[in-house]
C-alpha cells in the first residue's frame, strides 16, 4: 500500500529511500506534517537508518504481500482464484446425501467425530418451513409428511416448499437487510418515502429464481441496460435506499457525497465481503486496499442524480396501474387540444389589444352611485341605523361576532361591482371605523345575493347568490388582504390596521362580479360575515355601499396599470408592456375560459399523477462528474483526480470499454474471474441455514476476518453456484437436501467438549428466529396470517407513545381487516421510530447495510410475547382456532393448539401441565367476568362464552411464549 500511495504520493519508492515520504515523515521534514509516529517517542537515527537500508534494498516483504509494481497482489486466501477440488472419499459413504456431506464427514473423521442422526420428520418439516418460507407448517401438512412412506418424501417436500410464493418473502427479507430498506428518509425529520415497489420487486425476482448475476446487474445498473423494463428500473432502488437529510441549512453536496460513500461501502460489503469503507480517509490499515482504490470505486457510483442533487434530473419513477395509465393517455390529447385553443384565442385577442386600449382610455374613471338601503339587520342583535345619505351606523348591544344583511334596490342596471366604504365616526372606539377596542374590524366574508322580483320570497336566500370573483381595497392590513373576504373561509378576513400613521380613516373595498347584473325590481342583499375566531367585537361600525356599471377592465385597472396605459406603446418598459398584456388577457372572457379549461385539465392530470405510486430509482447523468481523492475523507478537500476503477488487488475491469460504468461494475462483480462474490454469496447462504457461515466474519473476508472452517467446501460450493448459473433455488435445494442439514440439533457430550460452537457441524444448529419470522410464526400458529402479498406497507397494532421522542409525530393509523395480520416484512418501517417489536428482536435500523443480524436474549422479548397487544390478538385467534377446528375434548384441543405452536404433539407431562393451566384459567375467569370480557376475543362463535374463550386465550398466551416457538431446531 505504501508503494501504491495515497493522495500525497507513494510512501515508499523501492530502491530510493531519499524519495520515500516514509523517511521524511519519520525525520519530521515533511511540510505541514508533524513528525511520525504521533503520540509516541520519535525513532532514533539508527532505527530510521534500518528503514532506509530496507527501502534501498527494494523494500521486500517477507510474505511477498505486496508487489513492487503498480498492480497490487496479495497472498491472502480470499483474493486467490477458487480452489475447486473433488469431494473427498470418506469411510462411510452410505450416510452421504450429496457432495456437501463428503466434505463435512471428511473433516469429522479427521477429528474422530460422528455426525448426528437425521432429525425426526416433524422437526424436518418445521425447520424447512421456517428456513425457506419463514412461517410454520399447518398441522395437517405435518401429519401428511410424517405419514408419507415414499423414499422421496423429503425431496418432494423441498420442491413444494421452494415453489411457494412465501419463499420470495422469506429470502427477500434477508436481501432487504443488505439493501438497508426502509419506508422513510432517516435523520431527525425522517419523512416518508415510497420504496415498497423495490421491496416487491425483490420478492418477485427471488420467487422467479432470477439468477444472481442478473439480480446484481438489475439492481446496480438496470437503468443502463438497452431498453430497460419497468422492473429493471425499479430494481435500481437498491442504491436509493440511502438516507436523505431533509433538515434546513444542510449542504446538499455533502449529503449527496455521503450517499455515494454509503453506496461504495454497501457494494463492497454485500458483494465482496470487504471493508472498503475503511479506506475513505486513508489507506486500509490491514487489507491491500488504498484510499485511491476507494475513490476509483467511488467514481463509478458518482454519476447519478440523487435526492440532494442540483442537476435537475428527478430520480423518481411513476408506476401507474393500467387504469391510471389509460386515464393519462386519454388526458394527453385533451390537454394538447385545450392548449392549442388557448394559443389561438390568445393570438386573436392580442391582435385587438390596441383597440381595447383606446376604448379604455376614452371611457374615463368609473362612476359610482350611492345605495339607499331598505333594511340593515344585525344577526347578532345590534342596531344598524340608516341615515339619509346611506350611511349605516352600528349601535346598541354589540356581540362578539356578527353578520350584517343589507337589503336594497339597485339604482343602476348592468351592475359590475359593489363598493364597501367604511367610515370613522365619533361614537366608535377611537373613532373606528371598526367596533374593536382599537377601532379595527375583520371582514371574514362578503357575499352578494340578488332575488328577482318574480321569485318566491319563501325560497332560501342562498339560492340567489351571485359570484364575486375579484376584490381590491385602497389598503389592507399586512397578512389580512382583501382577498380573504372572498376566499370562502370565514376564519380569514380583511382588516385595516397600519404599521405607521392613523388607522382611523375612510377605507374602500371593491367587490367585482364576473358578469353585469341587472337591477330592475330585484331585491339585493350584501352579507358581511364577521365571525373570525378569537376576535372580540371586531365588526364594522360605520359604512356605506355604492354600485357601478363601469367596465370590469376599468374597475380592475390599478394606478400602476393606468400609468402604463397612458404611456405611449413604444415608450413602455418591458415590464409595463407585459403587465398590461396580462391584464388585458385576464379581462377577456373567451381567453379566461380557454385558460380555465387548460387549468382544469392540468389539475386533473396533477391529481391523477399524485395518486400514482412512485419509487426512487437510479438515473445516470448525461455528463459524468469529476471524482477526486478526498483528503481525510473531507468532501471539501479535493485531492488528485481519479478515474473509475476497482481495487487493484482484484482482477481488473475488462479493457477497452471506455469509462467504467455501474453496468461494467455489476458484470465484473459476478464474473468468473472475481474470486470473492461467489464465496461471499454461498457463505451467507450457509449462514442462513446453520446460524454461522464458513467464514464467521461474513462481512469481512480481509486479513482481519476469520479463516473459513471448511475452505475446500466453501470454494466447491462457490464454483457450484456458478455452475448452477447462479440459481439460488438450486443452491438452496442442494444444501437443504444434504445429510448435514438434516441432522438433529441435539447437543452431545462429546461435541460439547470437542466442538462447543459447532464449527465442525456434527449436528444442526439451534437458533432463535428473526423478528419478522417470530411475528409470522405466531400469526400462522393462530390461523390469522394473511396470504396477501405486495403493496403499500401496513400498520399493525403497536404501543402508544412511540413518537413522543421523535421530531415529528408521524401518527400510526392501525390497519384493519387482513392488513392487520400481514407478514412482518410488510410492516411500515420508520427509521427514527420502527415498530418496537422489530428492534426488540434485533431487526437492523436500516441506516446501513446489515448482512448478519445479531441475536440477543432479553426480558423485554418475553414481555413482548406475553403482553403486547398484537400477541394477545394472536393468542385470541389461536384460542378460537382450537375451539372451532379441534374436537370438543379438552385434551384434543390442547394437543391441537400445541401442534399449531410447535408442530409436534405434547409429551404426557406437557399435556398434564396444560390441563392444569386450563383449569386454573377457567377458575380465575369464572370469578372475574370483567377480566374474561377484556381478554376474550370480541367476536365469539356460537356456543362459546367469554369465560371459555378467555381461558383458552390464557393457554394460548403461554404456548406462544414458549422458547420452542421462537426457535428453529
Amino acid at each position: 500500500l505504501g508503494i501504491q500511495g495515497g493522495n500525497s504520493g507513494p510512501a515508499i519508492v523501492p530502491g530510493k529511500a531519499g524519495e520515500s515520504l516514509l523517511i521524511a515523515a519519520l525525520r519530521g521534514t515533511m511540510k505541514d506534517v508533524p513528525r511520525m509516529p504521533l503520540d509516541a517517542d520519535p525513532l532514533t537515527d539508527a532505527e530510521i537508518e534500518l528503514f532506509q537500508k530496507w527501502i534501498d534494498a527494494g523494500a521486500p516483504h517477507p510474505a511477498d504481500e505486496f508487489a513492487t509494481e503498480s498492480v497490487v497482489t496479495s497472498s491472502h486466501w480470499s483474493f486467490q482464484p477458487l480452489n475447486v477440488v473433488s469431494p473427498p472419499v470418506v469411510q462411510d459413504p452410505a450416510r452421504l446425501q450429496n457432495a456437501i456431506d463428503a466434505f463435512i464427514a471428511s473433516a469429522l473423521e479427521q477429528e474422530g467425530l460422528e455426525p448426528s442422526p437425521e432429525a425426526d420428520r416433524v422437526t424436518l418439516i418445521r425447520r424447512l418451513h421456517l428456513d425457506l418460507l419463514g412461517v410454520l407448517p399447518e398441522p395437517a401438512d405435518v401429519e401428511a409428511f410424517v405419514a408419507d412412506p415414499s423414499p422421496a418424501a423429503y425431496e418432494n417436500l423441498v420442491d413444494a416448499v421452494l415453489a411457494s410464493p412465501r419463499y420470495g418473502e422469506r429470502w427477500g427479507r434477508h436481501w432487504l437487510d443488505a439493501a438497508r430498506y426502509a419506508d422513510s428518509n432517516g435523520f431527525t425529520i425522517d419523512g416518508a418515502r415510497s420504496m415498497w415497489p423495490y421491496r416487491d420487486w425483490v420478492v418477485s425476482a427471488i420467487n422467479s429464481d432470477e439468477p444472481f448475476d442478473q439480480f446484481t446487474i438489475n439492481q446496480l445498473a438496470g437503468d443502463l441496460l438497452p431498453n430497460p423494463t419497468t422492473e429493471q428500473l425499479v430494481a435500481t432502488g437498491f442504491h436509493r435506499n440511502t438516507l436523505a437529510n431533509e433538515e434546513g441549512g444542510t449542504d446538499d453536496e455533502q449529503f449527496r457525497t455521503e450517499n455515494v460513500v454509503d453506496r461504495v461501502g454497501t457494494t463492497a460489503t454485500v458483494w465482496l465481503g470487504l471493508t472498503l469503507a475503511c479506506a475513505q480517509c486513508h489507506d486500509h490499515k490491514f487489507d491491500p486496499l488504498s484510499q485511491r482504490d476507494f475513490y476509483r470505486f467511488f467514481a463509478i457510483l458518482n454519476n447519478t442524480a440523487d435526492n440532494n442533487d442540483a442537476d435537475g434530473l428527478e430520480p423518481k419513477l411513476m408506476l401507474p396501474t393500467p387504469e391510471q395509465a389509460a386515464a393519462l393517455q386519454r388526458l394527453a390529447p385533451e390537454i394538447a387540444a385545450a392548449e392549442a385553443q388557448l394559443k389561438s384565442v390568445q393570438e386573436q385577442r392580442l391582435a385587438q389589444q390596441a383597440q381595447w386600449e383606446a376604448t379604455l382610455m376614452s371611457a374615463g374613471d368609473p362612476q359610482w352611485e350611492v345605495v339607499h338601503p331598505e333594511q340593515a339587520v344585525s344577526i347578532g342583535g345590534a342596531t344598524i341605523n340608516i341615515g339619509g345619505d346611506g350611511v349605516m351606523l352600528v349601535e346598541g348591544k354589540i356581540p362578539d361576532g356578527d353578520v350584517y344583511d343589507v337589503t336594497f334596490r339597485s339604482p343602476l342596471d348592468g351592475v359590475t361591482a359593489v363598493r364597501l366604504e367604511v367610515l370613522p365616526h365619533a361614537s366608535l372606539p377611537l373613532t373606528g371605523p371598526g367596533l374593536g377596542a382599537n377601532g379595527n374590524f375583520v371582514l371574514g366574508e362578503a357575499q352578494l345575493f340578488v332575488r328577482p322580483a318574480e321569485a318566491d320570497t319563501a325560497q332560501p336566500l342562498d339560492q340567489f347568490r351571485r359570484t364575486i370573483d375579484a376584490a381590491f381595497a385602497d389598503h389592507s392590513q399586512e397578512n389580512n388582504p382583501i382577498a380573504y373576504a372572498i376566499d370562502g373561509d370565514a376564519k380569514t378576513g380583511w382588516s385595516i390596521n397600519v404599521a405607521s400613521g392613523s388607522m382611523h380613516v375612510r377605507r374602500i373595498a371593491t367587490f367585482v362580479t364576473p358578469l353585469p347584473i341587472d337591477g330592475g325590481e330585484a331585491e339585493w342583499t350584501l352579507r358581511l360575515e364577521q365571525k373570525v375566531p378569537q376576535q372580540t367585537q371586531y365588526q364594522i361600525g360605520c359604512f356605506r355601499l355604492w354600485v357601478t356599471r363601469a367596465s370590469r377592465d376599468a374597475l380592475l385597472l390599478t394606478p400602476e396599470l393606468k400609468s402604463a396605459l397612458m404611456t405611449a406603446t413604444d415608450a413602455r418598459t418591458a415590464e409595463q408592456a407585459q403587465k398590461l398584456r396580462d391584464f388585458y388577457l385576464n379581462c377577456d372572457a373567451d381567453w379566461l375560459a380557454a385558460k380555465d379549461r387548460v387549468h382544469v385539465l392540468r389539475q386533473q392530470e396533477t391529481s391523477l399523477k399524485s395518486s400514482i405510486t412512485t419509487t426512487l430509482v437510479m438515473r445516470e447523468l448525461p455528463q459524468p462528474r469529476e471524482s477526486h481523492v478526498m483528503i481525510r475523507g473531507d468532501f471539501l478537500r479535493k485531492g488528485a483526480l481519479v478515474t473509475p476503477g476497482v481495487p487493484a488487488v482484484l482482477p481488473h475491469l475488462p479493457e477497452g470499454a471506455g469509462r467504467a460504468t455501474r453496468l461494467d461494475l455489476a458484470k465484473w462483480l459476478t464474473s468468473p474471474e472475481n474470486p470473492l462474490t461467489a464465496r461471499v454469496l454461498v457463505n451467507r447462504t450457509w449462514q442462513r441455514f446453520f446460524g454461522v457461515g464458513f467464514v464467521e466474519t461474513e462481512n469481512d473476508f480481509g486479513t482481519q476476518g476469520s479463516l473459513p472452517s471448511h475452505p475446500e467446501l466453501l470454494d466447491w460450493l462457490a464454483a457450484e453456484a456458478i455452475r448452477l448459473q447462479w440459481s439460488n433455488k438450486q443452491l438452496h435445494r442442494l444444501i437443504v437436501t444434504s445429510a448435514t442439514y438434516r441432522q438433529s440439533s441435539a447437543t452431545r457430550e462429546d461435541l460439547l467438549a470437542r466442538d462447543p460452537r459447532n464449527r465442525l457441524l456434527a449436528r444442526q444448529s439451534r437458533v432463535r428466529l428473526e423478528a419478522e419470522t417470530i411475528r409470522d410464526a405466531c400469526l400462522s400458529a393462530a390461523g390469522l396470517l394473511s396470504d396477501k402479498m405486495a403493496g403499500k406497507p401496513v400498520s399493525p397494532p403497536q404501543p402508544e407513545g412511540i413518537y413522543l421522542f421523535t421530531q415529528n409525530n408521524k401518527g400510526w393509523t392501525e390497519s384493519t381487516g387482513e392488513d392487520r395480520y400481514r407478514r412482518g416484512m410488510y410492516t411500515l418501517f420508520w427509521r427514527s421510530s420502527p415498530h418496537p417489536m422489530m428492534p426488540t428482536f434485533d431487526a437492523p435500523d436500516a441506516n446501513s447495510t446489515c448482512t448478519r443480524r445479531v441475536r440477543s436474549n432479553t426480558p423485554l422479548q418475553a414481555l413482548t410475547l406475553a403482553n403486547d397487544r398484537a400477541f394477545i390478538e394472536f393468542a385470541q385467534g389461536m384460542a378460537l382456532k382450537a375451539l372451532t377446528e379441534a374436537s370438543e375434548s379438552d385434551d384434543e384441543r390442547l394437543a391441537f393448539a400445541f401442534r399449531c405452536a410447535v408442530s409436534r404433539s405434547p409429551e404426557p407431562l406437557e399435556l398434564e401441565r396444560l390441563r392444569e393451566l386450563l383449569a386454573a384459567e377457567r377458575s380465575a375467569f369464572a370469578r372475574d367476568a370483567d377480566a374474561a370480557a377484556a381478554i376474550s376475543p370480541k367476536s365469539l362463535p356460537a356456543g362459546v362464552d367469554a369465560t371459555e374463550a378467555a381461558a383458552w386465550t390464557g393457554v394460548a398466551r403461554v404456548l406462544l411464549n414458549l422458547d420452542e416457538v421462537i426457535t428453529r431446531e
Side-chain angles (χ1 to χ4, degrees):
L1 290 179
I3 296 168
Q4 189 179 20
N7 188 63
S8 301
I12 299 169
V13 180
K16 300 179 180 179
E19 299 178 18
S20 297
L21 296 179
L22 173 63
I23 301 303
L26 293 176
R27 292 195 180 281
T29 58
M30 286 185 70
K31 184 179 180 182
D32 300 326
V33 176
R35 185 172 182 177
M36 299 296 169
L38 291 172
D39 303 323
D41 293 335
L43 271 63
T44 65
D45 289 343
E47 289 169 332
I48 295 173
E49 188 174 345
L50 285 175
F51 276 98
Q52 288 177 315
K53 290 179 179 179
W54 170 67
I55 293 173
D56 286 336
H61 192 280
D64 195 26
E65 184 69 10
F66 306 115
T68 58
E69 304 297 331
S70 60
V71 176
V72 178
T73 61
S74 174
S75 60
H76 187 60
W77 71 269
S78 69
F79 299 121
Q80 304 307 308
L82 296 179
N83 178 30
V84 184
V85 298
S86 298
V89 176
V90 297
Q91 296 174 4
D92 187 8
R95 304 180 67 171
L96 310 183
Q97 293 290 341
N98 58 38
I100 290 174
D101 303 322
F103 288 99
I104 299 298
S106 176
L108 290 176
E109 287 176 357
Q110 293 175 31
E111 295 292 327
L113 294 172
E114 290 286 329
S116 294
E118 183 170 292
D120 62 80
R121 283 202 167 188
V122 172
T123 298
L124 285 177
I125 186 173
R126 186 174 188 272
R127 178 187 297 169
L128 204 63
H129 272 73
L130 288 173
D131 280 349
L132 291 179
L133 306 182
V135 295
L136 294 175
E138 286 293 323
D141 295 332
V142 176
E143 291 173 9
F145 175 62
V146 170
D148 188 346
S150 168
Y154 182 76
E155 286 74 12
N156 293 338
L157 175 66
V158 170
D159 291 337
V161 169
L162 285 171
S164 168
R166 295 296 191 193
Y167 171 80
E169 292 175 321
R170 169 61 170 160
W171 285 83
R173 181 61 264 179
H174 294 319
W175 187 258
L176 294 177
D177 281 0
R180 62 266 195 252
Y181 169 83
D183 299 302
S184 64
N185 288 327
F187 295 103
T188 55
I189 291 180
D190 198 30
R193 68 164 52 159
S194 176
M195 284 303 298
W196 58 266
Y198 167 75
R199 174 248 288 155
D200 291 350
W201 175 85
V202 169
V203 173
S204 176
I206 292 175
N207 269 333
S208 66
D209 199 21
E210 183 172 278
F212 187 73
D213 54 351
Q214 188 62 47
F215 188 69
T216 296
I217 289 170
N218 287 340
Q219 292 184 88
L220 295 183
D223 58 310
L224 299 182
L225 293 169
N227 303 314
T229 64
T230 298
E231 289 75 19
Q232 287 170 328
L233 294 176
V234 171
T236 64
F238 176 87
H239 269 324
R240 294 309 312 281
N241 282 310
T242 48
L243 279 65
N245 196 334
E246 304 162 272
E247 300 288 339
T250 56
D251 189 313
D252 287 346
E253 178 60 15
Q254 175 187 354
F255 286 97
R256 188 200 67 78
T257 301
E258 289 189 7
N259 283 346
V260 182
V261 167
D262 170 75
R263 288 165 190 156
V264 172
T266 296
T267 305
T269 298
V270 171
W271 275 273
L272 301 174
L274 293 179
T275 55
L276 181 59
C278 293
Q280 178 188 354
C281 305
H282 48 71
D283 290 351
H284 200 292
K285 292 186 179 299
F286 306 107
D287 293 338
L289 301 169
S290 70
Q291 188 183 21
R292 192 177 301 274
D293 283 337
F294 179 93
Y295 285 104
R296 293 193 71 208
F297 206 103
F298 178 98
I300 298 177
L301 301 171
N302 193 31
N303 300 314
T304 57
D306 214 326
N307 310 54
N308 305 307
D309 206 337
D311 291 282
L313 289 179
E314 176 58 60
K316 191 178 288 186
L317 179 68
M318 295 181 65
L319 301 169
T321 64
E323 295 76 17
Q324 290 170 328
L328 283 175
Q329 194 171 10
R330 287 194 302 270
L331 272 176
E334 291 186 53
I335 292 172
E339 289 179 338
Q341 175 66 13
L342 176 61
K343 182 179 179 182
S344 175
V345 171
Q346 183 166 306
E347 289 173 350
Q348 294 174 23
R349 294 301 179 264
L350 290 178
Q352 302 168 6
Q353 182 174 346
Q355 181 182 347
W356 169 82
E357 290 183 13
T359 302
L360 194 58
M361 290 176 66
S362 64
D365 292 333
Q367 300 300 308
W368 294 89
E369 289 282 342
V370 72
V371 167
H372 295 281
E374 297 177 352
Q375 179 178 267
V377 177
S378 159
I379 305 301
T383 301
I384 305 179
N385 294 313
I386 305 173
D389 55 359
V391 173
M392 288 163 275
L393 182 65
V394 183
E395 298 177 311
K397 185 177 180 180
I398 307 300
D400 285 342
D402 210 344
V403 178
Y404 303 162
D405 276 354
V406 181
T407 304
F408 59 93
R409 309 285 171 174
S410 172
L412 299 173
D413 281 337
V415 171
T416 55
V418 177
R419 170 179 283 180
L420 170 64
E421 179 187 19
V422 295
L423 303 162
H425 192 275
S427 66
L428 302 176
L430 302 180
T431 72
L435 292 168
N438 62 350
N440 201 0
F441 62 86
V442 181
L443 174 59
E445 287 294 307
Q447 301 176 47
L448 180 63
F449 306 90
V450 181
R451 188 195 304 268
E454 65 276 11
D456 184 353
T457 56
Q459 290 180 277
L461 193 60
D462 283 348
Q463 294 187 11
F464 306 103
R465 183 172 177 174
R466 294 300 185 98
T467 301
I468 298 173
D469 69 340
F472 58 90
D474 62 343
H475 168 73
S476 292
Q477 180 177 325
E478 185 178 3
N479 299 324
N480 289 68
I482 185 61
Y484 281 178
I486 61 168
D487 64 355
D489 184 357
K491 295 179 182 179
T492 64
W494 173 56
S495 53
I496 61 169
N497 210 342
V498 294
S500 61
S502 175
M503 174 176 62
H504 314 294
V505 296
R506 171 179 176 267
R507 293 296 185 194
I508 293 174
T510 303
F511 303 102
V512 185
T513 62
L515 297 171
I517 305 172
D518 286 337
E521 295 301 315
E523 180 184 271
W524 295 54
T525 300
L526 181 68
R527 176 169 291 170
L528 304 176
E529 187 171 345
Q530 303 157 93
K531 288 188 173 183
V532 176
Q534 299 178 341
Q535 299 288 2
T536 302
Q537 298 183 343
Y538 263 60
Q539 293 90 253
I540 297 170
C542 186
F543 62 103
R544 178 163 49 189
L545 303 182
W546 304 74
V547 292
T548 186
R549 56 187 176 196
S551 72
R552 180 185 179 89
D553 310 15
L555 286 167
L556 298 176
L557 198 66
T558 64
E560 182 183 20
L561 288 169
K562 185 178 291 186
S563 174
L565 183 66
M566 302 301 293
T567 303
T569 303
D570 57 358
R572 292 171 186 162
T573 65
E575 183 180 10
Q576 284 179 315
Q578 184 64 44
K579 286 186 175 180
L580 200 57
R581 171 186 175 277
D582 292 345
F583 176 74
Y584 163 61
L585 289 173
N586 278 283
C587 289
D588 183 83
D590 290 342
W591 185 85
L592 285 172
K595 180 185 177 186
D596 285 346
R597 175 63 177 161
V598 171
H599 178 68
V600 168
L601 290 172
R602 283 294 184 191
Q603 275 194 323
Q604 291 178 13
E605 181 185 47
T606 300
S607 176
L608 179 58
K609 286 183 176 179
S610 68
S611 69
I612 293 174
T613 295
T614 63
T615 191
L616 298 176
V617 296
M618 299 291 272
R619 286 200 176 140
E620 197 80 351
L621 298 176
Q623 182 61 40
R625 293 188 181 94
E626 283 190 345
S627 295
H628 299 258
V629 171
M630 295 179 189
I631 301 173
R632 295 186 182 274
D634 184 349
F635 80 106
L636 294 175
R637 300 176 64 194
K638 293 183 178 179
L641 188 70
V642 292
T643 56
V646 295
V649 72
L650 294 171
H652 289 291
L653 289 168
E655 298 282 343
R659 182 184 177 92
T661 66
R662 286 180 285 118
L663 184 57
D664 297 317
L665 173 64
K667 292 178 178 179
W668 171 83
L669 284 170
T670 53
S671 66
E673 292 76 24
N674 190 322
L676 283 171
T677 302
R679 282 179 173 137
V680 169
L681 172 66
V682 299
N683 188 68
R684 291 213 182 103
T685 302
W686 193 266
Q687 171 187 281
R688 308 297 180 201
F689 289 118
F690 294 93
V692 181
F694 300 115
V695 179
E696 189 168 0
T697 55
E698 45 68 50
N699 59 353
D700 187 1
F701 273 50
T703 60
Q704 297 300 296
S706 303
L707 292 174
S709 59
H710 298 77
E712 291 181 341
L713 175 55
L714 173 62
D715 278 13
W716 184 88
L717 272 175
E720 192 70 3
I722 297 172
R723 188 189 69 79
L724 293 170
Q725 298 181 326
W726 297 100
S727 166
N728 274 309
K729 284 192 175 182
Q730 290 302 309
L731 177 63
H732 295 174
R733 192 184 192 285
L734 179 67
I735 293 174
V736 300
T737 56
S738 68
T740 304
Y741 176 81
R742 300 191 215 182
Q743 292 179 106
S744 167
S745 63
T747 56
R748 296 167 14 202
E749 290 298 327
D750 59 331
L751 296 181
L752 287 176
R754 299 281 299 281
D755 185 23
R757 298 187 64 239
N758 196 32
R759 299 298 286 137
L760 294 173
L761 295 171
R763 62 180 178 86
Q764 245 293 4
S765 301
R766 187 177 187 274
V767 295
R768 200 211 64 210
L769 302 178
E770 296 164 345
E772 295 89 342
T773 308
I774 289 172
R775 172 183 169 81
D776 298 346
C778 291
L779 277 169
S780 54
L784 295 174
L785 182 62
S786 166
D787 288 333
K788 183 178 178 182
M789 295 180 66
K792 295 181 179 179
V794 295
S795 305
Q798 70 173 4
E800 296 181 359
I802 299 299
Y803 304 116
L804 292 177
F805 303 100
T806 61
Q807 180 167 329
N808 294 328
N809 187 343
K810 301 174 178 63
W812 187 268
T813 303
E814 285 187 4
S815 297
T816 57
E818 70 172 330
D819 280 352
R820 193 177 185 89
Y821 304 117
R822 295 191 65 191
R823 295 197 68 164
M825 74 174 306
Y826 297 115
T827 297
L828 180 64
F829 195 98
W830 295 102
R831 282 184 162 110
S832 63
S833 50
H835 189 290
M837 184 202 166
M838 300 303 173
T840 297
F841 287 95
D842 308 309
D845 60 14
N847 290 334
S848 57
T849 186
C850 173
T851 52
R852 179 183 60 184
R853 294 191 183 188
V854 298
R855 285 189 292 269
S856 65
N857 191 351
T858 70
L860 186 58
Q861 294 169 357
L863 290 171
T864 298
L865 294 173
N867 300 319
D868 184 85
R869 266 200 310 138
F871 282 88
I872 289 176
E873 286 189 24
F874 303 161
Q876 291 169 342
M878 190 172 178
L880 292 184
K881 186 176 181 180
L883 288 169
T884 58
E885 296 184 22
S887 64
E888 294 186 3
S889 77
D890 284 350
D891 280 4
E892 285 294 325
R893 286 175 171 170
L894 288 170
F896 176 78
F898 195 88
R899 289 196 301 272
C900 288
V902 297
S903 300
R904 65 179 177 85
S905 296
E907 298 291 337
L909 180 59
E910 291 171 326
L911 186 58
E912 179 60 32
R913 296 293 300 276
L914 287 173
R915 289 193 199 103
E916 294 172 1
L917 173 63
L918 178 60
E921 293 289 293
R922 279 175 173 157
S923 176
F925 286 120
R927 293 192 304 270
D928 191 340
D930 290 340
I935 199 67
S936 69
K938 302 305 177 215
S939 178
L940 295 173
V944 177
D945 64 18
T947 300
E948 187 70 359
W952 281 95
T953 298
V955 171
R957 289 178 71 187
V958 171
L959 289 176
L960 292 181
N961 206 355
L962 293 175
D963 180 71
E964 192 172 346
V965 170
I966 64 170
T967 303
R968 191 280 256 156
E969 289 282 3

